[in-house]
Amino acid sequence: MAHLLHTPFIPSSSSLRRAAVSHRKTTPPLVVRAKIREIFMPALSSTMTEGKIVSWTKSEGDKLSKGDSVVVVESDKADMDVETFYDGYLAAIVVEEGGVAAVGSPIAFLAESEDEIAQAKSKASSSSSAPAPAAAAAPAPPVESQPEKVAAPVAAAVPAPVVVSSHPASEGGKRIVASPYAKKLAKDLKVELGRVVGTGPMGRIVAKDVEAFAASGNVAAAASPAPGKSVAPAGVELGSVVPFTTMQSAVSRNMVESLAVPTFRVGYTITTDALDALYKKIKSKGVTMTALLAKATALALVKHPVINSSCRDGNSFTYNSNINVAVAVAIDGGLITPVLQNADKIDVYSLSRKWKELVDKARAKQLQPHEYNTGTFTLSNLGMFGVDRFDAILPPGTGAIMAVGASQPAVVATKDGRIGMKNQMQVNVTADHRVIYGADLASFLQTLSLIIEDPKDLTF
């Protein structure tokens, strides 16, 4: 029988019984333990190193379901809702509203059941990694006393009092703390958020506060300065030292990093008569000049892929497969570059709609990471402010950025030797000289000029 089973030994029944008994003795008892999980400060962008807690949307003891929004975090680019990945209870908040925490550090504890809440609170209190709120980091006497000195004359000049938020993230009243929807609503209703009293957690302004303020018929009144006295713009406290916001810190780091890249600049004059005429023709259909410039740039980049390339490690460069045109936008307290992805493949009407959507989200600080960190070429346009020419700083990780000046009438000599008037704009491109050379930029700018001076392809 043994040779039929291909084994040299068949255990006896007694040995089988001993093995079975031995197996039963070594089986460990099944123990079910509830879990206490840490909620960490997430990395909401590739450049984010720390985040500020704008507000907790849930309170300690609240029951949470997977996917619920728990906290609003201010990253270096936007305010974003952070969701929980687990069911449970918000047992303990480690970093209060207004506090700053490094990416990856715990900001709260999540208990699996109500029985573990006390244990989670104990664990939170013993945690040595809890950061101090940002408001506490500022020098107490100047921050607390100076707003009071400024408030008195303002109250005398303005019929309706200016409300100073008590929210920790307001940084002593210097920052208005409001929900993203409340900010958008205030913009639509033309309501000055600084005069709205917040009824949300710790004075945060929510949508119903804006609606109530607008319904009351309040209109912002301009303060009349006393003769002979210089008055600072609203929200500016002369002589004060203001720490960088999270976004300003990120911009500062990026600008310093860009100094390590060897760059050069090339300027070009482009006649815009045909582009201006096209814009006037299709402006009523919702087309923006930004979308037209982005489309023209994208079509030129198709023919000059090296301008759309990038060098990140100093040893190689990448021909990017997509043409994603980032456009610089100034927002309250910083700068951000929303991205028009695949701008060469999308019609100018869709690009315009997308651009308006991105700008609204940027100003409400609601852009998602892929909407601002995927640019392969950047546009910076100060032409709408009447600036005729300027240089832009190259964003890290990209090959080139183009600064666009205003289109202005100029006296020029025509091809037949006569004097004429044409609208012209100056563009200056800053490029990474490790990858892009002068002849590359000159050729790209010539192509861009031809597209803008004969823009028939922009509307297809």
Side-chain angles (χ1 to χ4, degrees), residues 4 40 42 44 75 112 198 225 232 255 264 281 297 411 447:
L4 293 175
F40 297 103
L44 302 177
S75 71
E112 192 174 68
M255 295 303 96
F264 72 108
K281 182 179 178 181
T297 301
V411 178
T447 300

Side-chain angles (χ1 to χ4, degrees), residues 386-399:
V387 175
D388 58 356
R389 69 181 66 195
F390 68 103
D391 288 328
I393 298 176
L394 181 68
T398 60

Side-chain angles (χ1 to χ4, degrees), residues 153-154 157-159 221-225 231:
V154 172
V158 181
S224 301
V231 177

Side-chain angles (χ1 to χ4, degrees), residues 258-278:
S258 70
L259 294 176
V261 178
T263 59
F264 72 108
R265 296 162 180 82
V266 174
Y268 206 90
T269 301
I270 301 176
T271 300
T272 61
D273 289 329
L275 182 68
D276 294 338
L278 175 63

